[in-house]
Each structure stands twice: as C-alpha cells, then as structure tokens.
C-alpha cells in the first residue's frame, strides 16, 4: 500500500524545502521593535550623516542576505514557484504576485506597518529617511523613496546573487515603487523601455499595478 | 522585515564597534524613543491603569500589558504607591520567530550584547533587545505622572525565548515581594516590572536601614 502511494505521488514536491511561509503568516510584527529600529537608524545618521547611514543600510541588507542559505533550482518555473510560495529568500519578507514570468509585484510594503506605527506613535517620519534616499539615488541607483527602499532593494539584489537557476545566476532590477504615504518613484525614463520589455508588461500595465500595490521589480537569468 | 534587518545590523555593529558600542546605541535609542513619545499625566492609579488597559499610554507600544492590581506596592505608611505590571509576550518574540523561519538562527551578537549588559550594567537581560526595552521603560516612567508625582520603573523578572529567566532579587526585596511568586508569574507572562511613585519610602528599603 505504501509503495503504491509513492508511485502515485512522484517527486512533484521535491523543491519544496520549507513550511516557513505558513509559519511566517502567523507572526505579527511588534510595533516596539519596528519603531526602535527606525530610531536606531536615525541615531546612526546623527553621528555619521546621510552617506554613513546609506553605507550602514546597504551593509546590513547585504549581510542579512548573506546570512541566509544559498539556493539553486533546475528550472525557472521551479524558482518562480518558490518565489510565489515565499520560500525563496528573495520573497521571504514580502507578499507578491507574478503577472508574468519575470515581473514581480509586491502587494504590500513589508515596512508599511513599521512606518504607520512610527507616524502614529512618534509623529512625522524624520526627514533624514528621505535625505538618505536622495543620496542613494544619486550615488548608487535611482529607485528609492526612503531608507526602507534602500534596505529592501539592496537585500533583493544581494539575495538574487546567491540564487542560481539552471547553473546561471539570477539578476534583479527595480522598476517602480510607491511609499506608504503615496509618493511614487519610477526608474529613469531612458531605462524604462528595457525594464518593461524584460518584465513583459506595458507602461499602462505598470501604472495599473502601482495603483493598488507597492513595488514592481523584475528577476531574470544573468 | 525591518526587525530582521536590525538584528543583522546588531551583529555588524557589534563586530565593528564592539558589544559595548551596541549597548550605548541601544541605550540612546531607548531614551530617544521615550522622549519623542511625550509626557502623560493621570489623576490617580485607577485612571492610569484604565489608560494602560485601553492601550493609551506610551507603555502600550510594547503590546498587551496587564496591571496586576492585586499586587499593590505600599510604602511604610501602608499607602499604595505603585503596582506590578506584566507583559504577555516579549516584544522581541515575533522577531525571533521570523529570524528562525527566514534566516535560521539568531546571530551570536544577540547573546554577546545581553551578557555584556548583565556584567557591566545590570543582571536583567535575556537578549540584546532587553537593553533598549528596559531603558525605554525607565525613561517613559519618568515622563508619566500619577497624582502629580513622576513614576519610576523597576525591572523585576523576565523570560527569554528558550525559557531562560532573570529575577531581580534586590528590586523584589525593596518592594517586599517573594521571588518565587514572581517566578510563577513568568509561566503566564514574559516580563514583569513595577511602576511606583518616584521617591516613595518603601517597606523593604526601610527594613534595610
């Protein structure tokens, strides 16, 4: 009987390594830790300025990605399934949908709860978070609205570097994002056609996705 | 995600600035968070305890806090000068769980920071986050007045994620409370502290003299 069951259920689930996504849904954020994290970053900015804070944010996001296990998949479909299930490191912290095989849409910013707790309990989000993003946009890559985007985008990039599909590395690129207060940041006009082509969506579809989601990005084979 | 990234930063910072540097950072953040949440005034203990239960005080950011009103703290004249409060779930627990299911294990710096704090400041930390958390409570207490008197917070006991406990026996002696009783509270709560009027002449302190 047991043998028959095994035959009827071949290795369909061989790439499902974790039940982590199920567990994570049960874990609620604690506002204290989130608000304290922002103040911790502000304290660093007080001492080291926007450039120093930017370096810290990029460093912490990179070291977070490096502390997570490397991944390899045989096919893009297997990888995409892991991304959809939140089992790949690159999507472990966010809820996503995948309109095409390369386009990923984050439905809710994983930092939005922290931001709303901050604004509710402390007041206006400190200006330094936007100043550092401006520094990042002008010196690293133009895609951030605030410090949360720097952490998130750097993490995705560092995480993608640790994933191989069919022996080739995965690449990440940011297209657009919308902050919790509604500010929008879209990739430079000259980059957009190439990015949208890789994503397999039009500019109109991009704007439609941004209306009620928070982040639009792509993953592709390097 | 921010909390998991923060723990990664703690590891990074502890390697670069040492665990003492991380403790200094956390202490400053605890002060700054309390300061930015502002001052509060209550006409008496019942109004403060109601505000706490309804999540209106600065302490409410920690989550579900119970005022153990059967455990009143009295001064040498027998007047009520404070109460014992208990936090249902450690503020750091969701982060610990999230790290467990996304990264795998907490970085070494978590316990290194707690150990250094226990050795150099006060033996009451079970994880790195206790450093900011306990400082935050002390500062918030100073920003709240009950019957026009500023409060003081005393850390009494806490329980970590893997069950390790810290019991502040000296503080318990001051308020005349049995350590075994507080230990039994840790079965249902993760952190127990006292809020009392600053400068109150406690029975335990009088006995010491």
């Amino acid at each position: 009987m047991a043998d028959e069951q095994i035959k009827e259920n071949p290795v369909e689930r061989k790439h499902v390594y974790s039940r982590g996504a199920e567990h994570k849904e049960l874990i609620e954020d604690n506002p204290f830790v989130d608000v304290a994290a922002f103040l911790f970053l502000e304290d660093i900015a007080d001492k080291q300025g926007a450039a120093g804070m930017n370096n810290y944010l990029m460093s912490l996001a990179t070291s977070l990605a490096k502390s997570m296990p490397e991944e390899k998949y045989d096919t893009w479909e297997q990888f995409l399934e892991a991304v959809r299930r939140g089992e790949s490191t690159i999507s472990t912290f966010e809820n996503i949908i995948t309109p095409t095989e390369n386009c990923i849409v984050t439905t809710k910013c994983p930092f939005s709860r922290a931001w709303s707790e901050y604004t509710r309990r402390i007041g206006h989000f400190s200006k330094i978070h936007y100043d550092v993003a401006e520094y990042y946009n002008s010196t690293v890559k133009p895609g951030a609205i605030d410090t949360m985007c720097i952490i998130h985008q750097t993490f995705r990039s560092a995480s993608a570097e640790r994933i191989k599909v069919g022996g080739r590395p995965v690449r990440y690129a940011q297209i657009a994002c919308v902050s919790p207060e509604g500010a929008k940041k879209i990739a430079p006009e000259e980059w957009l056609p190439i990015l949208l082509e890789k994503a397999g969506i039009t500019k109109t579809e991009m704007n439609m996705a941004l209306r009620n989601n928070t982040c639009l990005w792509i993953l592709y084979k390097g | 995600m921010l909390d998991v990234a923060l723990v990664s930063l703690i590891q990074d910072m502890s390697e670069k600035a040492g665990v003492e540097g991380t403790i200094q950072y956390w202490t400053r953040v605890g002060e700054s968070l309390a300061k930015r949440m502002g001052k509060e005034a209550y006409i008496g203990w019942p109004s403060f305890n109601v505000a706490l239960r309804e999540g209106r005080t600065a302490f409410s950011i920690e989550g579900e806090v119970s005022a153990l009103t059967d455990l009143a703290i009295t001064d040498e004249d027998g007047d009520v000068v404070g109460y014992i409060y208990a936090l249902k779930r450690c503020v750091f627990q969701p982060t610990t769980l999230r790290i467990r299911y996304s990264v795998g294990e907490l970085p070494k710096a978590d316990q290194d920071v707690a150990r250094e704090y226990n050795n150099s400041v006060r033996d009451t930390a079970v994880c790195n986050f206790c450093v900011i958390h306990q400082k935050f409570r002390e500062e918030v207490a100073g920003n709240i007045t009950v019957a026009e008197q500023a409060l003081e917070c005393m850390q009494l006991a806490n329980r970590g994620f893997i069950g390790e406990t810290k019991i502040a026996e000296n503080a318990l002696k001051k308020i005349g409370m049995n350590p075994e009783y507080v230990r039994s509270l840790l079965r249902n709560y993760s952190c127990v502290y006292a809020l009392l009027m600053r400068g109150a002449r406690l029975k335990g302190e009088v006995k010491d003299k």
Side-chain angles (χ1 to χ4, degrees):
Chain A
M1 179 68 185
D3 286 347
E4 281 169 23
Q5 276 179 343
I6 290 167
K7 279 175 195 165
E8 282 169 12
N9 297 298
V11 285
E12 273 174 27
R13 290 171 66 84
K14 83 172 188 181
H15 288 276
V16 178
Y17 292 109
S18 115
R19 293 173 62 239
E22 291 168 38
H23 290 300
K24 275 178 281 179
E25 282 171 13
L26 302 174
I27 307 168
E28 279 182 25
D29 282 354
N30 185 289
F32 188 92
V33 183
D34 285 340
V35 175
F38 280 129
L39 296 196
F40 197 95
L41 297 174
E42 287 168 23
D43 197 66
I44 292 173
D46 282 348
K47 303 272 172 309
Q48 303 184 17
M53 186 174 175
N54 178 61
N55 289 342
Y56 250 111
L57 296 174
M58 292 185 66
S59 159
L60 81 90
T62 306
S63 73
L64 174 60
K66 283 185 179 164
S67 68
M68 298 166 88
E70 288 181 317
E71 293 169 33
K72 63 173 186 176
Y73 302 87
D74 293 335
T75 66
W76 189 261
E77 189 46 51
Q78 285 167 353
F79 168 57
L80 205 56
E81 188 53 29
V83 171
R84 286 183 187 128
R85 292 170 64 96
E87 289 171 358
S88 170
T89 54
I90 204 157
S91 60
T92 192
F93 296 113
E94 48 195 309
N95 291 323
I96 54 112
I97 49 175
T98 52
T100 70
E101 286 203 336
N102 297 95
C103 179
I104 320 283
V105 174
T106 304
T107 54
K108 187 183 174 197
C109 173
F111 297 95
S112 62
R113 161 87 192 258
W115 178 87
S116 67
E117 290 291 351
Y118 182 108
T119 51
R120 187 158 75 93
R121 296 173 192 272
I122 304 278
H124 195 265
F125 203 44
S126 172
K127 186 175 166 289
I128 189 69
H129 295 283
Y130 305 104
D131 293 347
V132 177
E134 278 308 308
Y135 178 86
Y136 173 89
N137 290 338
S138 59
T139 58
V140 184
K141 213 179 281 178
I145 298 172
D146 50 40
T147 47
M148 298 177 275
C149 299
I150 300 174
I151 299 173
H152 204 175
Q153 292 172 25
T154 310
F155 171 78
R156 284 195 197 125
S157 181
S159 172
E161 282 173 17
R162 295 169 62 79
I163 302 170
K164 284 201 166 59
V165 178
R168 288 166 65 189
V170 171
R171 295 278 177 258
Y172 152 78
Q174 177 68 21
I175 300 180
C177 55
V178 184
S179 73
E181 71 262 38
K184 210 183 272 186
K185 181 80 183 174
I186 298 175
E189 204 55 45
E190 60 273 26
W191 296 6
L192 209 48
I194 304 159
L195 292 170
L196 291 175
E197 192 191 337
K198 274 195 189 297
I201 60 169
T202 63
K203 196 172 179 180
T204 306
E205 285 168 333
M206 174 190 80
N207 286 326
M208 285 163 66
L210 290 179
R211 202 171 44 197
N212 50 7
N213 294 293
T214 61
C215 206
L216 190 67
W217 41 294
I218 53 171
L219 291 173
Y220 57 98
K221 275 193 201 174
Chain B
M1 180 183 180
L2 188 60
D3 54 349
V4 180
L6 176 75
V7 175
S8 182
L9 177 64
I10 296 294
Q11 177 68 35
D12 203 38
M13 185 172 272
S14 297
E15 282 167 10
K16 287 181 181 131
V19 286
E20 303 86 354
T22 305
I23 291 172
Q24 283 170 13
Y25 259 104
W26 266 148
T27 307
R28 271 204 305 275
V29 173
E31 284 169 7
S32 145
L33 179 55
K35 194 174 164 192
R36 290 176 68 177
M37 292 187 85
K39 292 184 183 289
E40 296 168 32
Y42 300 91
I43 52 170
W45 285 108
S47 62
F48 172 72
N49 287 336
V50 167
L52 189 88
R53 194 174 63 222
E54 293 180 353
R56 289 188 274 114
T57 80
F59 285 110
S60 311
I61 193 174
E62 299 179 325
E64 193 185 329
V65 183
S66 302
L68 307 179
T69 46
D70 53 327
L71 297 173
I73 301 165
T74 51
D75 66 5
E76 57 179 334
D77 301 323
D79 294 328
V80 172
V81 289
Y83 287 98
I84 305 248
Y85 297 85
L87 184 64
K88 190 78 184 164
R89 193 171 70 160
C90 169
V91 295
F92 202 54
Q93 192 193 337
T95 304
T96 308
L97 285 170
R98 227 190 310 276
I99 289 170
R100 166 69 188 80
Y101 293 122
S102 55
V103 178
E105 63 178 348
L106 277 168
K108 190 174 153 289
D110 176 64
Q111 282 306 307
D112 290 348
V113 170
R115 209 172 298 119
E116 175 63 23
Y117 182 82
N118 290 337
N119 289 335
S120 62
V121 184
R122 192 173 52 191
D123 190 17
T124 54
V126 291
C127 71
N128 93 86
F129 216 76
C130 291
V131 177
I132 173 186
H133 196 186
Q134 292 175 16
K135 184 67 183 172
F136 166 78
R137 280 205 200 118
E138 284 169 22
E139 295 294 319
V140 163
N143 285 341
I144 297 177
T145 58
V146 170
E148 297 183 357
Q149 291 195 59
L151 299 186
E152 180 186 352
C153 179
M154 268 188 200
Q155 177 64 27
L156 301 180
N158 44 342
R159 173 170 48 82
F161 184 69
I162 55 168
E164 71 280 32
T165 56
K166 288 280 176 193
I167 310 272
E169 303 223 355
N170 284 343
L172 290 169
K173 201 173 162 192
K174 274 187 191 171
I175 60 170
M177 192 168 187
N178 185 338
E180 291 312 312
Y181 187 77
V182 172
R183 197 180 294 278
S184 71
L185 288 175
L186 289 180
R187 286 189 208 125
N188 287 336
Y189 300 101
S190 62
C191 202
V192 181
Y193 58 98
L195 290 177
L196 57 154
M197 285 164 169
R198 187 163 289 183
R201 287 177 56 80
L202 301 169
K203 277 181 187 168
E205 283 180 324
V206 174
K207 270 183 203 162
D208 278 352
K209 287 169 192 170

